[in-house]
Amino acid sequence: MNNTRHINIVTRLRPPITNEVNDDGVRVTREGDRHFISVNNPRDLTQVFKYPFSSCYDQDSTQQEIFDNEVEPMTEDVYAGLTVTIFAYGVTSSGKTHTMQGTKSDPGIIPRAVESLFQRKRKQANVTLAISYMEIYKDEVYDLLIDRENAPKLPVRENGAGQVFVANLSSQVVDRVEEFHQIYSEATLRRSVASTNLNRASSRSHAILTITVTISDPTLGKALSGKLNLVDLAGSENNKLTGNDPSRMAESSAINKSLSVLGQVVHALNQGASRIPYRNSKLTRILQDALGGSSVGLLICNIAPAPKYRQDTLNTLNFATRTRNIENKPVINEKDLKPAPKPPMSRRLPQAPARRPSEVPSGLTSRIARPSLTHGPSRSSLPSSTIHSEPVTVNVNIPPQNPPPAPGLTEEEIDARIAKAVETEVARRLAEHEKQKAIETESRVSLEEGPSNSSQKSPVVEDPSSHIGHMSVDEDLRQRLAELEQKFETGNSELRMVSDLSPASRKRTGRAYVALARAQSEKNNLALALELYRKAEAYVPDNVKLKERIIEIEWAVKNGKPFKPSPKKPRKKKTKKTAAAEKSRATGSESVLQDSRDENNAPPVFGSSLLVGSTTASFKRQAEGSEIWETPKRRYKKIRASIEQEDDDE
């Protein structure tokens, strides 16, 4: 079998529909053994375009003829363990769905292919057939084997071997042809279909039916897994002809976009581009294996004969001409059913209990597997064989590193963890604050009771300042050093926590601390509020307003005064009349200044009611002292200066 195969191209011209104009502008011609699709140029009827293809079927062709000549030989490839993809392409109302599905009296490719696969199954043992059916509607994937009301949007994933699959797509094993027809007919009713001016049952989505054939060989311990993908693509639409309403136009836009990306992929493959835009659409992502991959491909181009479809017919034939140049490299899908061999007894060494990184010596570090940063693949995408690795001990000096972030967390989970950590920290600090207040109250009571008790025992009156000297200077210094060390360690841990977070997470954490601090300041717990504001500052150090709030609360705590937040200045809304008046005043002032320069040949004099300057700097100097040019940084300096002035006065 040749390792490289081109995508086979088949063209089919449908017969004209009742009341449809037919000018014989599209026809199948033969010159010896060669077949052509001849199309009259819609702009110059004297010019004829000829497209040579290996298989061209005219209006008199039958479903049985196309299946026997083109599809039946490909079922052998499925039983050989290959992936076969057959998809119908063409403009809307060109007969794609009829070619793929057909009718009860004249079945199409899908029911005939299934019957052929079951006929081969009867001749072989240990063969299993399973089907899955999905549609791509508005670039979202839905499972057609499930009721549409309960069908969720399915994500498209890629396993470790680079194979693309649809996650959580259901699959059903079928044992008889009748069972398949029942399941398929019910699933087809769930497909998105609507009526347009060109087609009373127009497909509004791309449908993909996958039949998986598994052939097991217990004696050899192997299994072949062949696939047959039958794709019914939605047709490209011209909204001027279809008469679509807004909802139909949204569907048409999604269809045309996915087909456009399909054309871009084919063009990139022909050009040998370094990047193929498979990911630009769910359709091309799923069909990636059939377009330059490891699948055997067959493209059936359906053509409509009417003159109104002439330009779309030329586009379809040009697409088919580019597609036949694509080369695929089919690969046999073989699985090993034998269990993985167990390692010898000498390698089955007991593993030591896991230790924390802090407990592992720096000189002798055991090799520990790195946790995955993403969710593992689904069970269907796991490799069949298992690789056993031997435990290795390496003597390397590895510097301590921060623990990696939690694997696979969403933004909501991160926010929830941050909020929970902040609440726990606030509860702990509240408990410490209450405990400190209780200690201070007890010490105050003991200081008050101390002199009274001593006065009863002795008439000697002691100086109250003598009670302060109970603690020696060394103990006082030791306590101060311990407090500073604790504060330094807390700050370092906070900085380490901040450095591990992303900028967005830092901002969210800072906002959470600010909200908690604001709540405590409203309860007049200024000390705790100040501590929370400082915590928030570690996460958003460049926030000028936050620094101003910290300065205001520090001043209130230091002077024992209630905290009153500075009111926000109301923003004046500019109306059109106000803007026009300001513009006219500015124009008038400039004319007055120009007249004064001409008459007196001297610089202008600024009045108290008019602030005009030759430069922006002079305007800032004139506006100095007012709040027009007061920036947050200047306001911050002003508050700091006022607080220092009050401290000096006291």
Side-chain angles (χ1 to χ4, degrees):
M1 184 180 64
N2 191 5
N3 292 332
T4 303
R5 288 195 190 183
H6 290 272
I7 295 180
N8 190 22
I9 305 297
V10 174
T11 57
R12 184 183 189 185
L13 177 63
R14 71 161 172 81
I17 304 174
T18 307
N19 300 327
E20 186 179 54
V21 178
N22 185 13
D23 60 349
D24 291 332
V26 182
R27 54 201 174 276
V28 178
T29 58
R30 294 179 175 83
E31 296 179 3
D33 296 336
R34 303 183 66 187
H35 297 75
F36 298 90
I37 295 290
S38 300
V39 183
N40 294 339
N41 187 351
R43 299 178 181 177
D44 184 6
L45 298 179
T46 60
Q47 185 180 8
V48 179
F49 298 113
K50 289 186 177 181
Y51 295 88
F53 295 106
S54 57
S55 300
C56 298
Y57 294 90
D58 57 13
Q59 300 172 354
D60 299 328
S61 61
T62 62
Q63 302 273 54
Q64 186 68 43
E65 181 184 359
I66 294 174
F67 176 78
D68 292 341
N69 295 338
E70 309 298 338
V71 181
E72 174 68 25
M74 304 185 79
T75 58
E76 298 180 5
D77 295 333
V78 176
Y79 271 82
L82 299 177
T83 300
V84 177
T85 303
I86 303 172
F87 45 98
Y89 182 90
V91 69
T92 183
S93 187
S94 60
K96 300 181 298 299
T97 303
H98 176 75
T99 300
M100 297 301 291
Q101 297 181 3
T103 60
K104 289 185 178 180
S105 59
D106 191 15
I109 290 176
I110 292 177
R112 294 177 188 272
V114 172
E115 290 181 1
S116 176
L117 292 176
F118 272 102
Q119 288 176 1
R120 292 179 180 275
K121 178 185 176 183
R122 299 187 189 101
K123 300 176 182 179
Q124 286 185 265
N126 301 322
V127 178
T128 304
L129 269 70
I131 64 169
S132 60
Y133 197 20
M134 60 181 159
E135 73 168 352
I136 305 174
Y137 177 72
K138 291 184 180 180
D139 208 37
E140 297 292 347
V141 184
Y142 297 94
D143 192 345
L144 291 177
L145 298 182
I146 302 175
D147 292 336
R148 188 57 182 271
E149 298 178 356
N150 304 326
K153 298 177 183 178
L154 302 180
V156 180
R157 298 283 185 259
E158 184 175 341
N159 61 15
Q163 298 175 346
V164 179
F165 66 97
V166 178
N168 304 322
L169 181 65
S170 63
S171 178
Q172 293 188 19
V173 177
V174 289
D175 298 325
R176 295 176 293 107
V177 178
E178 295 77 15
E179 184 181 357
F180 166 79
H181 287 316
Q182 181 180 358
I183 296 173
Y184 180 69
S185 59
E186 293 177 357
T188 303
L189 297 176
R190 302 187 185 103
R191 188 181 176 186
S192 301
V193 178
S195 176
T196 65
N197 292 344
L198 299 179
N199 192 352
R200 62 182 181 84
S202 175
S203 301
R204 315 309 297 168
S205 64
H206 309 295
I208 302 176
L209 173 68
T210 301
I211 306 171
T212 304
V213 179
T214 305
I215 308 169
S216 303
D217 190 349
T219 56
L220 299 177
K222 295 182 179 180
L224 294 177
S225 179
K227 286 185 179 181
L228 177 60
N229 299 317
L230 299 164
V231 185
D232 181 13
L233 297 174
S236 58
E237 292 185 345
N238 186 347
N239 290 319
K240 294 180 180 179
L241 301 177
T242 55
N244 288 333
D245 56 14
S247 61
R248 298 283 86 81
M249 288 183 70
E251 297 169 349
S252 176
S253 175
I255 292 170
N256 292 339
K257 180 183 177 182
S258 60
L259 293 176
S260 175
V261 174
L262 179 60
Q264 294 172 11
V265 168
V266 171
H267 178 71
L269 289 171
N270 286 330
Q271 296 295 323
S274 58
R275 179 189 176 275
I276 312 299
Y278 292 115
R279 295 178 179 269
N280 292 359
S281 172
K282 296 283 181 67
L283 175 65
T284 52
R285 188 86 171 108
I286 295 172
L287 295 179
Q288 180 174 342
D289 196 34
L291 301 170
S294 59
S295 173
V296 180
L298 171 64
L299 175 65
I300 302 176
C301 291
N302 295 87
I303 302 171
K308 60 183 176 182
Y309 301 116
R310 196 59 41 82
Q311 188 59 47
D312 294 311
T313 298
L314 292 173
N315 295 338
T316 300
L317 294 173
N318 290 329
F319 173 79
T321 303
R322 293 192 300 267
T323 304
R324 67 179 178 181
N325 296 326
I326 296 176
E327 293 182 352
N328 292 340
K329 296 180 180 180
V331 176
I332 297 176
N333 303 310
E334 188 176 20
K335 296 180 181 180
D336 192 357
L337 300 180
K338 294 180 180 179
K342 296 182 179 180
M345 291 299 296
S346 59
R347 296 186 181 181
R348 300 182 191 176
L349 300 176
Q351 297 182 355
R355 294 189 292 178
R356 297 179 180 178
S358 59
E359 299 175 0
V360 180
S362 60
L364 183 61
T365 306
S366 61
R367 183 179 177 183
I368 303 172
R370 183 186 178 193
S372 175
L373 299 180
T374 58
H375 292 294
S378 61
R379 184 171 296 181
S380 61
S381 63
L382 291 174
S384 59
S385 61
T386 305
I387 301 175
H388 296 273
S389 59
E390 302 180 12
V392 181
T393 303
V394 185
N395 294 323
V396 291
N397 292 321
I398 300 177
Q401 299 178 351
N402 294 328
L409 293 180
T410 62
E411 293 292 333
E412 291 79 5
E413 292 175 347
I414 293 174
D415 293 342
R417 291 195 175 190
I418 290 173
K420 186 176 180 181
V422 171
E423 290 176 1
T424 305
E425 181 69 15
V426 170
R428 185 183 67 81
R429 292 179 182 275
L430 277 174
E432 291 181 357
H433 185 65
E434 294 295 335
K435 187 176 180 181
Q436 187 66 23
K437 286 180 69 175
I439 294 173
E440 290 177 358
T441 305
E442 291 178 0
S443 62
R444 194 182 301 111
V445 170
S446 62
L447 287 174
E448 292 175 355
E449 292 178 354
S452 60
N453 295 336
S454 61
S455 61
Q456 293 176 2
K457 295 180 181 179
S458 173
V460 179
V461 180
E462 297 180 359
D463 186 4
S465 61
S466 62
H467 293 278
I468 303 174
H470 290 301
M471 186 181 292
S472 64
V473 178
D474 294 338
E475 293 177 354
D476 190 11
L477 288 174
R478 193 179 299 111
Q479 184 178 358
R480 290 290 300 276
L481 285 172
E483 291 176 357
L484 288 173
E485 288 177 358
Q486 183 180 2
K487 187 175 181 181
F488 180 74
E489 291 176 0
T490 306
N492 283 347
S493 62
E494 194 74 27
L495 288 175
R496 285 196 299 271
M497 186 186 300
V498 171
S499 62
D500 291 340
L501 296 177
S502 63
S505 298
R506 294 177 196 171
K507 195 171 184 180
R508 284 194 294 269
T509 309
R511 285 179 178 175
Y513 274 117
V514 168
L516 293 169
R518 190 181 295 116
Q520 294 301 324
S521 64
E522 291 175 357
K523 296 177 183 178
N524 206 22
N525 294 333
L526 298 183
L528 183 56
L530 179 60
E531 193 172 353
L532 291 172
Y533 275 125
R534 286 172 177 165
K535 281 269 190 181
E537 187 182 12
Y539 291 91
V540 282
D542 298 332
N543 195 318
V544 178
K545 293 183 179 180
L546 180 60
K547 293 180 179 179
E548 294 175 2
R549 181 58 56 89
I550 291 173
I551 293 172
E552 292 174 355
I553 296 181
E554 281 179 351
W555 181 84
V557 171
K558 185 176 181 181
N559 296 279
K561 294 182 179 181
F563 167 66
K564 293 182 180 179
S566 55
K568 294 183 179 179
K569 297 178 182 179
R571 294 184 178 179
K572 294 183 180 180
K573 295 183 179 179
K574 272 192 176 182
T575 61
K576 293 183 179 179
K577 294 182 179 180
T578 308
E582 289 180 358
K583 186 175 181 181
S584 63
R585 284 198 298 270
T587 308
S589 61
E590 288 177 3
S591 62
V592 171
L593 292 174
Q594 185 63 34
D595 293 340
S596 64
R597 289 194 188 96
D598 295 339
E599 293 176 2
N600 303 327
N601 195 18
V605 180
F606 299 99
S608 58
S609 62
L610 185 63
L611 265 177
V612 183
S614 58
T615 61
T616 306
S618 65
F619 183 80
K620 288 184 179 180
R621 288 196 296 272
Q622 292 294 328
E624 193 170 356
S626 65
E627 295 181 356
I628 297 175
W629 291 92
E630 186 175 11
T631 60
K633 189 173 182 181
R634 179 174 293 180
R635 187 180 172 207
Y636 169 73
K637 291 181 178 179
K638 188 183 292 184
I639 294 172
R640 171 68 74 177
S642 63
I643 292 174
E644 291 177 355
Q645 183 64 32
E646 290 181 3
D647 293 342
D648 294 340
D649 295 342
E650 291 178 358

